[in-house]
Amino acid sequence: MEKIIINGGRPLQGAIEVSGAKNAAVPIVLATLLIGDKCIIENIPNISDVSFSLEILASMGCRIRMLSKNTVEIDSTHAEGGASPYELVRKMRGSYYLVGAELGRWGRAYVGLPGGCDFGVRPIDQHIKGFKALGANISVESGYIDARADDELHGASIYFDTVTVGGTINVMIAAARAKGMTVIENAAREPHIVDLANFLNSCGAKISGAGTDVIKIKGVDKLYGSTYAIIPDMIEAGTYMCAAAATRGRLKITNVIPKHLESISAKLEEMGVDIIENDDSVEVIGNLNLKRVNIKTLPYPGFPTDMNPQICVLLCLAKGVSILTEGIYDNRFRYVEELRRMGANINVDSATAIVEGGTELSAAPVKAVDLRAGVAMVIAGLAANGRTEIEDIHYIERGYDDIVGKLRAVGADIKKVIIPSPVSYQKAN
Ligand code: EPU
């Protein structure tokens, strides 16, 4: 078993570099399957969701070569549809992008149902609605999604009933090779959607409107390989911004697109944190008097749900009562129980957390219950005096590239340790 151990109470100081965005890297890596050619993807984060994606592609017959630590070459020329291993697919949410990629390339997809963090029910009805509109018949049986287009996929008008990042991405991937024009309305507008559209366009796709709520995709017969660099991870950046504020430190967070961080910067400023924005970095200057605020998570450009647990740690440190409302998932507050072990005073009533802040957090043994929940424990551990031990850190490693090394380099007393599994002894007769 691996754990992260933190001796907290030290302000973070210095510069920390943000890696490529997980939620752009996973769909872009998996979308290379659609291309049927050689692609070079740069600024790839070294995280387990990306390694799982590459392993899946390799097992489907793609040739994968790491050209450097953060650059991968993927040649999907000889890949075979329907060949993704169930045990890998179920390890991550983003594996459902294989459905869009296989359907777009072969007109048939056969993929295990995805896994991912547990925030309550996470249906994929909107993905299915989109694929059906493109002409696919879909059945879900024995843990697999089976999608077949009798004829070729054709363009369609699709109105999503809810704003869905995954649905928007999946339909965009499939529609890139469909015959005719697809129009997605009520599309998600996250920066990673724009990044995927830019990648597909660099391979010859004809996608416009990404970043707005209407995306138009004119299907093309053929796509070709390209070299493409992934955008910086706005959630990783936001996480380190919160870590700087929570430790009352001063951090320069580099390799970011400040525009993507606007909703996070605005809330931190409202809490009294000073933020200096540069072209491709932000500087966060924490102070002792954090102010209470109310926050509701929303689709982009609103405050991101993937920052809910991290900002909650700051609300615990701010004087007064703050209200944090979750607007995306029905069960994102599973981490609250862990924060309570550290002395947090939080009451959850369905989608709302009422946070009574102003008390110092105390170090404790805690668990990562999902990716962002896990990293919130890291922030809490950095802020609390004493030794915090975090279990189940494989969740954190799904989305944070070398978090321990990066935080150590800015003054954190943090390490990863391997704890031997308990041995069962047999009594001698
Ligand atoms: N939804 C439906 N039907 C669907 C699809 C979604 O009802 O067919 C609902 C979901 O249940 C949820 C809401 O719509 O309540 C939004 O879900 P969305 O589809 O936008 O989320 P996702 O694609 O499953 C991605 C990220 C998540 C991130 C969300 C929201 C990946 C692999 N995952 O999930 O990332 O929270 O968008 O921004 O890109 C994370 O990085 O920690 C993470 C969980």
Side-chain angles (χ1 to χ4, degrees), residues 16 60 76 392:
I16 199 161
M60 297 177 76
S76 65
D392 289 342

Side-chain angles (χ1 to χ4, degrees), residues 83-141:
S84 52
Y86 192 75
E87 63 286 1
L88 279 176
V89 162
R90 67 183 305 186
K91 281 191 176 171
M92 51 183 278
R93 188 81 192 151
S95 52
Y96 52 30
Y97 299 134
L98 290 169
V99 180
E102 289 187 19
L103 254 185
R105 181 158 170 193
W106 292 288
R108 162 104 206 254
Y110 189 67
V111 182
L113 283 166
C117 292
D118 176 9
F119 313 129
V121 189
R122 295 178 76 183
I124 54 166
D125 57 305
Q126 298 303 305
H127 303 230
I128 291 176
K129 171 177 167 174
F131 295 140
K132 281 186 174 163
L134 297 177
N137 298 306
I138 315 271
S139 61
V140 180
E141 262 172 47

Side-chain angles (χ1 to χ4, degrees), residues 14-18 236-242 244 251-256 261 278 280-284:
I16 199 161
E17 190 178 346
V18 168
E236 187 193 6
T239 300
Y240 293 135
M241 290 169 81
C242 285
L251 264 192
K252 182 170 186 175
I253 297 148
T254 63
N255 185 32
V256 301
L261 302 173
N278 307 308
D280 60 0
S281 66
V282 287
E283 228 169 317
V284 179

